[in-house]
Amino acid sequence: MEKEICTIRIASNNCRRDSYTFYENGRIKRFCVQENLSPNITEWLDRSELSEQSKDRLIKHCPEELKEKIMLILDYP
């Protein structure tokens, strides 16, 4: 079973709430709570699929003690 590092929740334009869960093996799971009656979205992402703006926001909302780990997963400068 994959070991979870943390879940970071951020607001986005497309979703009422975006949650990104990071795993020790480098995987990233996104859960998007949609507006109105649209179905929610769950997807697995590669770090290359995240924009620099999304990475910035994720790091900004990341718990301080986990920032280094998350930055490595995101290949963040």
Side-chain angles (χ1 to χ4, degrees):
M1 179 114 189
E2 301 162 353
K3 186 175 179 201
E4 186 178 312
I5 299 171
C6 70
T7 298
I8 302 171
R9 291 172 182 85
I10 58 174
S12 77
N13 294 335
N14 302 330
C15 299
R16 199 166 21 137
R17 186 185 74 226
D18 256 344
S19 297
Y20 293 83
T21 303
F22 293 84
Y23 294 88
E24 290 284 344
N25 64 359
R27 294 189 77 191
I28 305 165
K29 182 170 71 173
R30 176 181 177 235
F31 179 73
C32 174
V33 176
Q34 298 275 17
E35 296 289 339
N36 302 320
L37 300 175
S38 300
N40 296 332
I41 299 169
T42 300
E43 61 184 342
W44 291 94
L45 302 172
D46 184 77
R47 64 184 170 202
S48 64
E49 297 175 86
L50 293 168
S51 69
E52 289 303 313
Q53 181 184 18
S54 292
K55 290 178 182 182
D56 289 342
R57 289 178 31 224
L58 286 165
I59 294 300
K60 179 181 176 184
H61 290 88
C62 182
E64 194 63 41
E65 66 274 10
L66 297 172
K67 277 190 180 179
E68 188 174 328
K69 240 181 208 186
I70 300 305
M71 287 172 80
L72 286 172
I73 291 172
L74 293 174
D75 193 25
Y76 190 80

